[in-house]
Amino acid sequence: MDNISSLRDFYIADELIRIKKLTRYELVQELIEFKTAEIESLDEDVLLNGYGKGN
């Protein structure tokens, strides 16, 4: 299990390095894609009960 944890830490560190190299435009695009995928995966009850109230 320690190997899996180390591998996960490596991927996280690698992703942080990649993100730090992105331009502002690229960051915004990734955030839009991430939030869109999150919303598309929500279950109907969450949507009907007001996902994102206060935004």
Side-chain angles (χ1 to χ4, degrees):
M1 278 304 193
D2 189 44
N3 289 338
I4 294 297
S5 181
S6 295
L7 184 58
R8 187 172 284 122
D9 290 344
F10 169 79
Y11 283 131
I12 290 170
D14 194 48
E15 185 66 8
L16 291 174
I17 292 168
R18 185 190 71 79
I19 289 169
K20 287 180 180 182
K21 292 179 181 179
L22 295 176
T23 65
R24 179 180 171 86
Y25 176 80
E26 291 167 330
L27 284 169
V28 169
Q29 289 305 113
E30 285 211 18
L31 183 57
I32 290 169
E33 290 172 18
F34 177 80
K35 294 304 284 185
T36 299
E38 178 185 17
I39 292 167
E40 287 174 347
S41 70
L42 291 175
D43 131 331
E44 289 178 7
D45 291 335
V46 174
L47 290 170
L48 294 172
N49 288 317
Y51 168 81
K53 284 184 182 176
N55 284 345

